[in-house]
Amino acid sequence: MSAGFAEFIKFPHPVKPVPPDFQICDPLYGKGLSKKDCKQAARNLARGSRAVSYDIDTMSLNHVLPYTTIEGDCQIIVEVAGGTKAHTVTISPDSLRGMAGWVISACVNKDSMGGFVTQNVGNLMTFLEDPVFSNDPPYPANTAFITLTITNKADMRPSPGDYDPSMALLAAAYVDKAAMSEPMNSPARSKLKADLESIMTTGRGMTRGGHQVAFWQQIPETPKAVAYVCDPDLGTPNAGDCTDVSQNQVRTMPESVTLQPGVISFHFSDTCVLAVGADTVTTLRREQIQSAVDTLMNVCITNPTEPQPMGGRAFYGAQPQSQRRKRQEGAVGQYTGLDALPPGVNVTIFQQTNATYQTDAMAEAASCPWQAVMNGLPISSCQEV
């Protein structure tokens, strides 16, 4: 046997992760890594095809995780993640070697950067997408999974399985898919949608390489209500025209209004157009729409918080601080401007530049101003202005 071949068989064969397991390469996990050092560090890993039980975060004399091996400036770090109270995990040493081989192949050899790979994350995804279980940690012990990170940062204990935002994205994708498979308006769908919102809220607070927020943490959401945002790109609809829309069209709507996803309800008077839409099938009381419209008009057009009147949007979400003034003045019946709309419903008031569009909803939907609204462009870009 040649020396070159003997050296080759010592190096771990790269094992590509099988979804939902995945790998991330990113210079935040190290850049300028030595291929030679990292390959030698991988060769130093224990060998064996039989599964081994590893103790977690203990001073045990047995196999223990986390585990680090260093060669030159290259570190290989094996850790357990998942927000569980697991005391042991089981994996074969050869599986860990395969993980190391893959990160070296995908990250170090290709771009001389660090990265990580996961193993056995599927049990956690299966748990999160089941509406029967609570997603509050700690999770069951069998949802613990393993990450192997390669880095040249001497002071780094990366814990990417807990702290890398890619974990929140993966969990959100699985929970969202599970929610969409449940019947509309079912308790299971509602529960999974709430879980999804929680995961996404947490994910927004995560940073790659950080250790402040783990994907399984429960982060209090920013208080939400109906937000009213004035936007100069929506033009300057005439206050009198908008009052006409409110008084003579919104107030004459049926007491109960059902909105269909993708179908915009237009109401217009000369320069002022009101568009009401929803992401899902939603039934509202007329008072809710009236309250939102009156508040939006008050904030953006009749008593604007900005130097000049302009169009605006109303939607359920976190409130911009600058738009809180005079919110409560839109109260209609039991609804105030703050609670008028449920999530997924959007109300927009914008300037129409050519009244000939206002013949029917299809013509309005095709108009240049509405297309500008939909595409985030200023209405002033329309030729009719």
Side-chain angles (χ1 to χ4, degrees), residues 87-324:
H87 299 295
T88 61
V89 292
T90 301
I91 190 171
S92 72
D94 282 353
S95 293
L96 296 179
R97 290 172 62 85
M99 294 169 70
W102 180 257
V103 177
I104 291 172
S105 174
C107 305
V108 181
N109 286 351
K110 186 177 181 181
D111 297 303
S112 297
M113 69 173 62
F116 72 91
V117 65
T118 69
Q119 176 81 342
N120 295 332
V121 77
N123 285 346
L124 175 62
M125 296 303 112
T126 299
F127 169 77
L128 291 176
E129 65 186 358
D130 191 332
V132 173
F133 301 118
S134 168
N135 76 330
D136 294 334
Y139 300 147
N142 72 337
T143 63
F145 62 98
I146 292 174
T147 61
L148 183 145
T149 306
I150 296 184
T151 181
N152 60 359
K153 295 186 175 182
D155 59 348
M156 190 177 208
R157 180 179 171 182
S159 306
D162 288 326
Y163 295 104
D164 195 278
S166 60
M167 277 304 306
L169 292 175
L170 179 69
Y174 270 77
V175 173
D176 184 47
K177 181 180 179 181
M180 297 304 292
S181 70
E182 298 291 344
M184 186 73 72
N185 299 322
S186 66
R189 187 182 182 116
S190 298
K191 188 266 182 187
L192 289 168
K193 282 294 186 182
D195 290 349
L196 174 63
E197 180 65 25
S198 176
I199 292 169
M200 293 177 66
T201 298
T202 301
R204 287 189 286 269
M206 298 174 70
T207 56
R208 180 155 292 163
H211 285 78
Q212 288 73 42
V213 180
F215 82 90
W216 39 261
Q217 286 182 256
Q218 303 295 304
I219 306 298
E221 289 191 56
T222 301
K224 291 183 178 180
V226 179
Y228 297 87
V229 179
C230 307
D231 186 348
D233 283 351
L234 297 178
T236 309
N238 178 272
D241 294 338
C242 290
T243 299
D244 180 57
V245 171
S246 172
Q247 298 294 325
N248 298 321
Q249 297 183 45
V250 177
R251 291 187 188 279
T252 58
M253 288 180 176
E255 289 189 5
S256 179
V257 178
T258 298
L259 302 173
Q260 299 292 333
V263 179
I264 305 300
S265 175
F266 290 104
H267 309 271
F268 30 71
S269 177
D270 202 6
T271 68
C272 183
V273 182
L274 165 67
V276 183
D279 295 337
T280 60
V281 177
T282 307
T283 299
L284 301 174
R285 291 183 59 80
R286 178 181 61 210
E287 290 179 347
Q288 291 176 265
I289 300 175
Q290 185 73 62
S291 176
V293 170
D294 289 353
T295 304
L296 185 59
M297 285 178 53
N298 182 63
V299 170
C300 298
I301 299 173
T302 56
N303 293 293
T305 58
E306 303 295 333
Q308 64 181 26
M310 63 185 69
R313 297 180 177 86
F315 56 90
Y316 182 86
Q319 299 180 58
Q321 293 290 330
S322 63
Q323 299 298 331
R324 289 185 176 178

Side-chain angles (χ1 to χ4, degrees), residues 36-103:
K36 178 181 178 182
D37 288 345
C38 291
K39 288 179 179 179
Q40 186 57 51
R43 293 186 184 101
N44 294 341
L45 291 171
R47 302 170 66 92
S49 59
R50 286 190 174 186
V52 172
S53 180
Y54 289 83
D55 295 330
I56 302 172
D57 290 319
T58 72
M59 300 300 292
S60 170
L61 297 178
N62 299 319
H63 297 88
V64 177
L65 294 179
Y67 167 79
T68 302
T69 183
I70 302 174
E71 187 70 32
D73 69 348
C74 185
Q75 297 185 73
I76 296 179
I77 306 171
V78 184
E79 299 169 287
V80 179
T84 79
K85 286 188 175 181
H87 299 295
T88 61
V89 292
T90 301
I91 190 171
S92 72
D94 282 353
S95 293
L96 296 179
R97 290 172 62 85
M99 294 169 70
W102 180 257
V103 177

